[in-house]
Amino acid sequence: MTDSNKYQRFADLRAQGVEPFPAKRVDYVYAADLQSKYAELPDGEVTEDVVTVAGRIHAIRNSGMFVDLRDATGRIQVYSDVKGGGPIAEMLALMKVGDFASVEGVVRRTGRGELTVNSTDVKLQSAMIGEMPDKHHGMSDVEAIYRARYIDLVSNQDSKDRFLARSKIVRAIRRTFEGMDYVEVETPMLHPISGGAAARPFTTHYNALDSQFYLRIAPELYLKRLIVGGLAPGVFEINRNFRNEGVSKKHNPEFTMLEAYEAFADFETMKQRIAEICEAACVAVNGSTTATYQGTELSFKAPFQEIEMAELIKNTLGIDFREIPDAAAARAAMAEKGVEVPADATWGECMEVAFDEYGEATLIQPTHVTMYPSEISPLSKPCLDDPRFCERFESFANGWEIANAFSELNDPEKQLAIFEGQVAQDASRGETEREVDYEYVAALDFAMPPTGGLGLGIDRLAMLLTDATHIKEVILFPTLRRRSDN
């Protein structure tokens, strides 16, 4: 129920002839631009320049004589002669910290060196209800920070800087791909078949078609259709994916993914691409190719170091999967080491568990882990010399996966057999959600050139480059339980 007195302030302002939400454009100068333009203005000097500044009031001192006004670019001090009363003093008396205001006045620098606007006119632009967070401590309730991001951005400069840095990361990635003649595209969010990755989808009902659809878990199969069609030498998309799975410090059900595909390329090409875009993003945010994450310096200088998955497992767990012939032997080797796997785990699934539990956490510096098992890589090209492995790698930093890439399987006969084998295996395990995407196979029938593809998690990269400890710190509006459900 709404508090009947909540908006009394608006009525009080109107009763005194002040509209709390005037409908008029404000042409103003950014605070940062003023600071830059008048950086050499000597202390104590008053100019003849009249400017208009606008922003949120963050502090009122000496009964309105001094006001700190902040816009999106920074802070500017406003001075008003309120001793003798008058319209400006009356207006300031009606204002409070948190309101938006515009001020017209003359630029000067105080004797103490503070760039200031001496007001000649002050207007209320938007009135605030409630109170601003404590200016020294900001918001301390983590849940409130995520629910009321607008307050967090106003009161926490570190949070604001982190999101501005995230924007720089995305811009740097776009510039890098555009410089390589890639074309940015948009593909469907609603899929009739959930494919492109192994994940549980969100489902919805499409009323007009009377059909079940899925929020996409990956755009891969659509992007590769564009390579088939020859739209451009390379295509990329930066957009949302949705996975109906767990939430953790590294996982949000709705997350931002970069996917890119390049004709006549392979996974070796993608190694270069991932290192190049990570390096460009790091430079954009930190001004160098290094980032410090929780006290550890990470070098994103291309090229990244690399190691084969089997070699890493051998080094960390003591099992050499290259010498293990089949699934039964793999399960036995895992049991001997005390590592639990499902009773029907395949050779590749055993290898995946070994890597996840013993290898991944050792990868602190940016590293490509290569030669994944083909059994867990249904869209990758198998290696010619040992088809148990495929031309796939994942990129890691700080023990986290940040990217996945491979030489794309473009043989429609093999792809169809793999899809059908996956559906059959799922059925044997009591899982029925997966379907064969025959339309994608039809696109491969039309011939797809040799292609390299990659996917990179924007959120995790942003965490690493901005020293964020939780994924919710780099997502403006992370997924939360409805307040009424708490």
Side-chain angles (χ1 to χ4, degrees):
M1 180 179 291
T2 302
D3 180 355
S4 60
N5 297 318
K6 179 178 180 180
Y7 298 118
Q8 183 60 42
R9 184 182 179 220
F10 301 158
D12 293 344
L13 287 168
R14 291 184 176 111
Q16 297 183 68
V18 177
E19 171 54 47
F21 307 103
K24 188 176 181 181
R25 185 184 74 186
V26 179
D27 294 319
Y28 70 103
V29 181
Y30 291 151
D33 290 346
L34 281 180
Q35 297 288 357
S36 176
K37 180 177 179 179
Y38 295 98
E40 303 303 320
L41 186 67
D43 293 353
E45 185 164 324
V46 180
T47 73
E48 296 182 353
D49 300 341
V50 177
V51 299
T52 297
V53 292
R56 190 185 289 272
I57 296 173
H58 274 247
I60 299 175
R61 301 186 298 280
N62 297 348
S63 301
M65 180 179 294
F66 292 101
V67 171
D68 286 347
L69 208 60
R70 289 183 183 269
D71 63 20
T73 69
R75 167 188 169 276
I76 192 73
Q77 177 173 269
V78 174
Y79 168 80
S80 300
D81 184 359
V82 297
K83 292 181 179 179
I88 291 178
E90 292 171 2
M91 177 61 75
L92 287 168
L94 297 175
M95 292 183 176
K96 57 179 284 186
V97 172
D99 287 346
F100 279 95
S102 62
V103 177
E104 183 180 282
V106 176
V107 178
R108 74 175 174 109
R109 191 175 295 280
T110 68
R112 295 184 177 182
E114 184 78 29
L115 190 67
T116 301
V117 174
N118 284 357
S119 70
T120 56
D121 185 42
V122 176
K123 289 185 171 68
L124 177 65
Q125 295 297 337
S126 185
M128 176 182 171
I129 296 297
E131 303 297 329
M132 290 273 283
D134 181 89
K135 66 179 181 179
H136 297 295
H137 301 100
M139 298 177 72
S140 57
D141 185 336
V142 174
E143 178 80 3
I145 288 172
Y146 300 145
R147 289 193 181 278
R149 183 67 79 184
Y150 49 92
I151 301 177
D152 175 47
L153 294 172
V154 168
S155 61
N156 186 343
Q157 187 63 41
D158 288 343
S159 182
K160 181 177 178 178
D161 289 344
R162 181 173 287 121
F163 285 109
L164 293 175
R166 179 191 169 109
S167 182
K168 290 180 182 179
I169 290 168
V170 174
R171 288 203 305 271
I173 290 172
R174 281 199 168 100
R175 285 196 302 267
T176 302
F177 276 118
E178 288 167 356
M180 296 184 290
D181 295 326
Y182 276 63
V183 170
E184 185 171 9
V185 298
E186 295 176 336
T187 59
M189 290 287 187
L190 288 174
H191 292 188
I193 293 176
S194 182
R200 179 177 298 171
F202 288 93
T203 61
T204 187
H205 188 77
Y206 199 144
N207 291 337
L209 300 180
D210 192 23
S211 298
Q212 179 167 279
F213 270 66
Y214 305 88
L215 287 179
R216 76 173 184 197
I217 57 175
E220 176 170 348
L221 303 187
Y222 285 94
L223 290 170
K224 288 193 284 194
R225 287 170 168 88
L226 301 180
I227 296 296
V228 172
L231 177 67
V235 295
F236 75 99
E237 181 171 11
I238 301 173
N239 220 323
R240 291 293 204 285
N241 287 349
F242 305 85
R243 299 184 182 178
N244 195 359
E245 297 176 342
V247 176
S248 75
K249 72 175 186 178
K250 297 186 295 179
H251 297 88
N252 194 67
E254 178 183 359
F255 61 99
T256 303
M257 178 71 76
L258 157 73
E259 288 209 17
Y261 296 86
E262 182 176 336
F264 302 103
D266 63 6
F267 79 136
E268 294 291 348
T269 314
M270 296 300 105
K271 290 176 186 177
Q272 300 170 29
R273 299 290 180 258
I274 287 175
E276 288 166 351
I277 59 178
C278 288
E279 179 179 312
C282 189
V283 170
V285 171
N286 297 309
S288 72
T289 58
T290 60
T292 300
Y293 187 79
Q294 297 298 293
T296 299
E297 187 174 280
L298 304 175
S299 173
F300 286 92
K301 176 70 176 175
F304 290 176
Q305 61 192 28
E306 60 182 83
I307 185 171
E308 290 187 13
M309 179 187 275
E311 186 66 21
L312 182 60
I313 295 170
K314 180 182 177 182
N315 294 343
T316 56
L317 183 58
I319 298 176
D320 190 347
F321 277 85
R322 292 165 295 195
E323 303 300 324
I324 295 176
D326 54 34
R331 292 192 294 268
M334 295 286 276
E336 186 178 333
K337 293 290 185 179
V339 183
E340 293 186 7
V341 295
D344 62 349
T346 66
W347 176 88
E349 288 170 340
C350 289
M351 189 172 174
E352 182 180 30
V353 170
F355 171 72
D356 289 347
E357 294 190 10
Y358 291 90
E360 188 171 316
T362 68
L363 302 167
I364 304 304
Q365 291 302 317
T367 303
H368 298 317
V369 177
T370 67
M371 302 306 175
Y372 272 58
S374 295
E375 290 175 336
I376 63 169
S377 310
L379 298 167
S380 307
K381 272 189 175 177
C383 297
L384 293 177
D385 57 347
D386 188 347
R388 295 182 303 168
F389 299 97
C390 63
E391 294 186 353
R392 174 189 173 192
F393 69 90
E394 289 186 336
S395 304
F396 292 82
N398 190 53
W400 303 350
E401 177 200 343
I402 58 172
N404 182 27
F406 35 84
S407 301
E408 304 294 335
L409 180 60
N410 59 347
D411 181 331
E413 182 179 15
K414 290 182 179 179
Q415 187 66 83
L416 178 59
I418 290 172
F419 280 166
E420 291 177 338
Q422 285 183 308
V423 171
Q425 183 182 61
D426 285 356
S428 71
R429 295 173 172 177
E431 301 170 8
T432 59
E433 287 187 344
R434 198 194 305 259
E435 297 179 62
V436 175
D437 191 336
Y438 291 106
E439 289 192 12
Y440 173 67
V441 176
L444 294 186
D445 287 342
F446 201 67
M448 183 172 77
T451 299
L454 66 85
L456 181 141
I458 298 295
D459 307 306
R460 287 191 191 174
L461 182 62
M463 288 178 68
L464 291 173
L465 297 185
T466 65
D467 201 22
T469 59
H470 201 291
I471 195 169
K472 290 180 179 179
E473 295 174 23
V474 297
I475 297 176
L476 280 166
F477 301 102
T479 305
L480 300 170
R481 189 186 301 273
R482 285 179 57 181
R483 189 180 294 275
S484 60
D485 295 339
N486 286 344

